[in-house]
């Protein structure tokens, strides 16, 4: 099993839709979790950290389920500008491992 | 500086030549990471520095790859005797310390011809 796995995608959704991504991780000792977004031919940028209690930032909500070892990202009222690849990041010891990413295309 | 700075932004080199890539982290960031991203692929961990601790080199793909960091400042990634499969974007990231989200530089796009 890979250390970090994500929904394969791509997700093609209309503007205004709600979309959710899942990410699973293999190391039960992982403590730090993040979602990054990466635009085409650009570097990844931190979208949000994921806290145990779940957290929300505007239209974005992140959840952590330690028992099942997965994290999720929910995007409400999606915008054209949300089109990107969403990367799940999990610490494995001192290192951070990136998932393969899920590509989202928001269509007009 | 305000962000993570990488240089050069693009590098084209002939197969067999050595290249050196540079990363200037955000001032005060103790953790520094190098990743590689091939076209259309995910990020591949290469090496990690945390303060004055011994670096985690477990991701370096071969002994042609090496990296150094002086204290909590600049890091250089050196690739010796470059091969075509080394062509990729090399991304550097820094963070305040382990456990915090980190900031990426815009990368060095390496093309080996």
């Amino acid at each position: 099993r890979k250390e970090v796995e994500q929904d394969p995608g791509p997700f093609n959704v209309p503007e205004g839709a709600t979309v959710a991504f899942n990410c699973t991780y293999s190391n039960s000792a992982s403590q730090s979790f993040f979602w990054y977004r990466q635009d085409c031919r650009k570097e990844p940028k931190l979208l949000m950290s994921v806290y145990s209690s779940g957290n929300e930032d505007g239209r974005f909500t992140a959840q952590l389920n330690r028992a099942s070892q997965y994290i999720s990202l929910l995007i409400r009222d999606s915008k054209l500008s949300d089109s990107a690849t969403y990367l799940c990041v999990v610490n494995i010891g001192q290192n951070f491992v990136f998932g393969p990413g899920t590509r989202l295309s928001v269509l007009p | 500086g305000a962000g993570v700075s990488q240089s050069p932004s693009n590098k084209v080199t002939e197969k067999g030549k050595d290249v050196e890539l540079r990363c200037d982290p955000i001032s005060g960031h103790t953790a520094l990471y190098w990743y590689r991203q091939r076209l259309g692929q995910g990020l591949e961990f290469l090496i990690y520095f945390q303060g004055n601790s011994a670096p985690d080199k477990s991701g370096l793909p071969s002994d042609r790859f090496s990296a150094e960091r002086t204290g909590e400042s600049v890091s250089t990634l050196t690739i010796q005797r470059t091969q075509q499969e080394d062509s990729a974007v090399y991304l550097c990231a820094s963070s305040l310390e382990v456990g915090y989200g980190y900031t990426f530089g815009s990368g060095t796009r390496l093309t080996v011809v």
Side-chain angles (χ1 to χ4, degrees), chain A residues 5 9 14 18-19 22 27 40 45 69 72 78 84 91 99 102-103:
Chain A
E5 297 190 80
T18 295
V19 61
N22 286 324
N27 192 320
C40 189
K45 292 191 176 169
Q69 294 179 209
S72 64
S78 52
N91 82 292
T102 301
R103 204 168 102 216

Side-chain angles (χ1 to χ4, degrees), chain B residues 64-84:
Chain B
R64 295 186 297 105
F65 288 73
S66 63
E68 292 184 353
R69 186 183 187 198
T70 306
E72 294 180 357
S73 60
V74 171
S75 175
T76 55
L77 176 69
T78 301
I79 309 174
Q80 295 178 308
R81 305 181 302 282
T82 52
Q83 304 294 313
Q84 287 185 323

Side-chain angles (χ1 to χ4, degrees), chain A residues 55-67:
Chain A
N55 48 300
E56 189 174 306
D57 183 2
R59 297 181 294 108
F60 298 82
T61 301
Q63 295 280 349
L64 168 64
N65 184 318
R66 286 192 187 276

Side-chain angles (χ1 to χ4, degrees), chain A:
Chain A
R1 181 183 174 188
K2 291 183 181 176
E3 292 173 311
V4 182
E5 297 190 80
Q6 295 187 241
D7 291 335
F11 284 52
N12 298 314
V13 302
E15 265 188 294
T18 295
V19 61
F21 306 133
N22 286 324
C23 168
T24 58
Y25 59 96
S26 62
N27 192 320
S28 59
S30 293
Q31 295 291 324
S32 300
F33 310 91
F34 305 94
W35 283 102
Y36 278 71
R37 68 170 278 168
Q38 185 173 28
D39 293 283
C40 189
R41 298 176 76 85
K42 297 283 190 182
E43 72 275 19
K45 292 191 176 169
L46 179 64
L47 181 64
M48 58 198 304
S49 303
V50 185
Y51 303 123
S52 297
S53 55
N55 48 300
E56 189 174 306
D57 183 2
R59 297 181 294 108
F60 298 82
T61 301
Q63 295 280 349
L64 168 64
N65 184 318
R66 286 192 187 276
S68 301
Q69 294 179 209
Y70 80 81
I71 66 174
S72 64
L73 176 69
L74 182 79
I75 306 175
R76 290 183 298 278
D77 187 24
S78 52
K79 312 289 185 192
L80 295 177
S81 57
D82 294 334
S83 298
T85 296
Y86 289 82
L87 303 166
C88 166
V89 185
V90 177
N91 82 292
I92 308 286
Q94 298 286 315
N95 186 15
F96 285 87
V97 177
F98 281 75
T102 301
R103 204 168 102 216
L104 171 66
S105 291
V106 181
L107 309 173

